[in-house]
Amino acid sequence: MATATLAAGVGTALADPSSTPAVTAIVAVGSDTTQYLSDQFSTDYNSTTPTNPFYSWDAVNPTTGLPGDTISTKNDANCSITRPNGSGAGITQLQQKLKTTSGTDYCVDIARSSRNIKSTDGTGIVSVLFAKDLITYATNSGGNGVSNLTDTDLTAIFSCNASLINSSYTGAVKWNEVGGTSTDAIIPVLPQSSSGTRSQWLSDIGVTTPGSCVVNGAYSGAAIEENEGTNAVYTAAGNPTGYKDVLGIFSGGSYVSQVYTKYSPDQHGTLVLQDIDGKAPLTSTDTINTSGLSAFPATYIRGLYYVTLNAGTASAPAVPTSPINLTALLGQGNATGWICGTTAATDIKHFGFATASNCGALTGQ
């Protein structure tokens, strides 16, 4: 796994908080996709000297690149936790409602999420939309991959059921069954199970249970992180007999940030984003293709969210104002929060994502 070495020329260090945040700080954990953007948000929001500064812990250790170490989210003995790796893990930690020794403040205030909340996340939470992204599939440059697939192709590939494409086909999908020339079977790859990108992708392609041909969340005993083409499963050294046939998934915004704007550590390896249903994920100016007549298919365009405890109800959700008032950062169901302002919009663009016209919108349960 690659570590988060910062690209040259980027102004801020993208990593964990440099010191343990105070108990009255706002602390986020969770999604890999938005961790570097959230690091930048922390720097820029805190430069305004807010009453409650904002800090964000990365999904994996920024020095070792490994998941699952212990972090102290706030400067309190009760706030020592296993680092949440991914949207699902972040939301699960938020739902623990772990408090500091005083019993007043929460150890985690926000879960970063690259998907919206769903029923299995439990009740009593609210998501705040702040940006847009898209997900597409990616294959290795110089491999056997094809440059375009349909919805049906993708469902068949991740179901390991070629008969969904043609009733005369059987087993895992082969490249020559979806427009390629190789007769090799496609090797679909998914990131680890708490990944919001994984969850959203499977929902988008209508797959509940990935097929047995899928490299499902781990390879050679190590977790596969999202938006990372440097994992051994994608490389000639780590997967010498299969690297030309792997098909992974990738956030469009994260790819732009790694490859083009250079605001995130470059971990794309030799992966190349590909089209779905004849629509390109990126524009001619290397931004994510989320609007206009030639936009990427809407199914694969997603929101990016901050999730917090719901101070209202499922039908009338509200951002908490106690014990810490989160409205200066998140707003209250509107675009008044810092995350919907001009500085945040610049950061969102730098990190490859798109601003949301309904920034600040709430979803409650």
Side-chain angles (χ1 to χ4, degrees):
M1 179 177 295
T3 56
T5 304
L6 187 64
V10 179
T12 186
L14 303 180
D16 288 339
S18 58
S19 60
T20 307
V23 296
T24 55
I26 302 168
V27 166
V29 298
S31 169
D32 179 303
T33 296
T34 58
Q35 64 183 1
Y36 298 127
L37 172 59
S38 293
D39 292 341
Q40 186 68 56
F41 276 2
S42 173
T43 297
D44 293 341
Y45 181 69
N46 293 348
S47 72
T48 68
T49 320
T51 302
N52 304 101
F54 171 60
Y55 297 97
S56 184
W57 291 89
D58 287 355
V60 298
N61 185 298
T63 301
T64 66
L66 297 174
D69 59 329
T70 299
I71 57 174
S72 294
T73 57
K74 294 186 179 182
N75 191 19
D76 186 272
N78 276 8
C79 294
S80 179
I81 65 171
T82 299
R83 183 189 298 268
N85 180 16
S87 303
I91 293 170
T92 296
Q93 183 62 56
L94 177 72
Q95 285 282 40
Q96 295 297 313
K97 301 181 177 67
L98 182 64
K99 287 194 171 184
T100 58
T101 51
S102 69
T104 301
D105 296 297
Y106 292 105
C107 293
V108 169
D109 304 287
I110 291 172
R112 303 184 304 270
S113 186
S114 59
R115 60 163 174 83
N116 208 350
I117 53 177
K118 52 187 180 180
S119 59
T120 53
D121 294 322
T123 59
I125 54 177
V126 59
S127 67
V128 185
L129 175 69
F130 67 90
K132 293 194 298 183
D133 188 23
L134 59 79
I135 312 171
T136 191
Y137 77 96
T139 57
N140 271 319
S141 175
N144 293 323
V146 294
S147 61
N148 180 70
L149 290 170
T150 67
D151 295 332
T152 300
D153 294 337
L154 291 165
T155 302
I157 288 166
F158 282 87
S159 299
C160 306
N161 183 2
S163 69
L164 297 177
I165 299 171
N166 186 308
S167 60
S168 67
Y169 298 161
T170 60
V173 179
K174 300 177 179 64
W175 289 114
N176 66 332
E177 295 170 337
V178 289
T181 57
S182 172
T183 58
D184 289 356
I186 299 171
I187 303 173
V189 179
L190 286 171
Q192 52 88 17
S193 60
S194 284
S195 162
T197 299
R198 168 197 172 107
S199 176
Q200 185 65 58
W201 175 259
L202 291 176
S203 175
D204 291 347
I205 63 173
V207 173
T208 302
T209 303
S212 60
C213 71
V214 176
V215 181
N216 199 354
Y219 181 75
S220 295
I224 299 171
E225 300 301 332
E226 61 187 45
N227 310 319
E228 183 183 280
T230 51
N231 187 281
V233 72
Y234 294 114
T235 68
N239 187 10
T241 62
Y243 78 99
K244 288 187 176 183
D245 296 313
V246 291
L247 182 152
I249 61 174
F250 220 106
S251 152
S254 181
Y255 194 89
V256 168
S257 184
Q258 292 183 38
V259 178
Y260 297 110
T261 69
K262 305 293 186 181
Y263 272 80
S264 294
D266 187 353
Q267 299 172 334
H268 86 288
T270 60
L271 290 181
V272 177
L273 300 190
Q274 306 292 9
D275 299 358
I276 298 178
D277 291 334
K279 298 295 181 69
L282 304 185
T283 67
S284 59
T285 56
D286 299 321
T287 59
I288 57 173
N289 187 18
T290 57
S291 62
L293 295 176
S294 61
F296 205 58
T299 299
Y300 303 95
I301 296 174
R302 61 173 172 175
L304 301 176
Y305 305 86
Y306 284 145
V307 180
T308 188
L309 297 176
N310 190 353
T313 65
S315 59
V319 171
T321 58
S322 175
I324 296 175
N325 190 338
L326 302 185
T327 58
L329 178 65
L330 302 181
Q332 190 59 272
N334 49 37
T336 61
W338 184 91
I339 60 170
C340 298
T342 54
T343 301
T346 298
D347 291 342
I348 288 166
K349 180 179 179 180
H350 284 163
F351 284 83
F353 306 113
T355 55
S357 59
N358 56 337
C359 183
L362 304 182
T363 302
Q365 57 189 43

